[in-house]
Amino acid sequence: MQDLTALFGILAALTVGVVSPGPSFVMVARTAVCASRREGIAAALGMGAGGVVFAVAALFGLHALLLAVPSLYLVLKLIGGLYLAYLGYRIWASAERPLMIGNLAERSATRTTRALALGFTTQISNPKTAIVYASVFAAFLPGAQSLAFDVTLVVLVFLVEAGWYALVALALASAQPRGVYLRCKTGVDRLAGGVMIGLGLKLASSVQR
């Protein structure tokens, strides 16, 4: 019973964070709209894999580590913020580049793998997500948990992360959202890039506080 309560508490808290808009949402949404449904799903799976990394780290005491070495969190914020800003710049810089309709039909393994990697790196580059995982796990984990509990928790974390972003990808990869994107590509890309740059710089600048 205690294990079920802990699982429910952790998943409920993480779900609230997952559905909140942020860099991960922006990246999956843009990938699904401007590339393909397959690549959007691949990016969602990358987000899920990133969530697994945070979950495993939290189980191994990430919260205690960050408390013991505060400078580590500052380094993570700086590197993660600069990386998010770089991704935003790439989106902004390509805003006026025309998107060939033929490219949307491509299903190469390379493009899918690239989307998977982009989802993963976007997820793990945000140290605020690491803090959320560390704090939630520290608050809800039972005093002693079994290997079966840990494995179940990690699997459920993957399903929550990947499942939500897969829904986002499926919704935005349909014909109507894509048609809107193609008509407004420059503005949409600049908005998405600007949001990513702003979030990244805000994260990186918080190191000085």
Side-chain angles (χ1 to χ4, degrees):
M1 185 65 182
Q2 184 181 12
D3 285 354
L4 288 177
T5 301
L7 281 174
F8 178 79
I10 291 172
L11 294 178
L14 291 181
T15 299
V16 172
V18 169
V19 301
S20 301
S24 298
F25 180 88
V26 173
M27 188 55 64
V28 172
R30 184 179 181 276
T31 301
V33 171
C34 76
S36 69
R37 178 177 287 108
R38 181 173 179 174
E39 289 171 61
I41 295 296
L45 293 176
M47 296 295 177
V52 167
V53 171
F54 285 136
V56 172
L59 286 172
F60 276 93
L62 177 61
H63 187 261
L65 175 62
L66 293 177
L67 288 177
V69 190
S71 59
L72 176 61
Y73 180 46
L74 297 181
V75 172
L76 291 176
K77 285 204 295 185
L78 179 60
I79 295 175
L82 292 178
Y83 179 71
L84 292 175
Y86 165 71
L87 292 178
Y89 169 75
R90 287 182 56 187
I91 296 173
W92 179 282
S94 65
E96 296 185 1
R97 189 179 305 160
L99 183 67
M100 302 303 293
I101 299 298
N103 289 342
L104 298 178
E106 292 183 10
R107 294 291 186 271
S108 71
T110 300
R111 289 171 64 94
T112 303
T113 302
R114 187 182 303 127
L116 178 69
L118 182 60
F120 178 76
T121 55
T122 300
Q123 177 78 304
I124 65 172
S125 67
N126 191 348
K128 287 190 174 181
T129 305
I131 288 296
V132 169
Y133 270 83
S135 301
V136 169
F137 276 47
F140 288 99
L141 280 180
Q145 68 267 15
S146 64
L147 177 61
F149 175 90
D150 291 347
V151 172
T152 300
L153 179 57
V154 170
V155 170
L156 291 176
V157 164
F158 175 82
L159 292 177
V160 168
E161 291 274 4
W164 165 249
Y165 290 115
L167 288 176
V168 172
L170 289 172
L172 296 179
S174 57
Q176 186 172 357
R178 180 167 292 158
V180 173
Y181 171 76
L182 290 174
R183 291 193 298 271
C184 310
K185 179 182 183 300
T186 299
V188 171
D189 279 5
R190 283 181 173 166
L191 176 62
V195 169
M196 290 286 286
I197 292 172
L199 290 172
L201 293 180
K202 180 180 179 181
L203 182 61
S205 64
S206 67
V207 172
Q208 298 178 348
R209 297 174 188 172

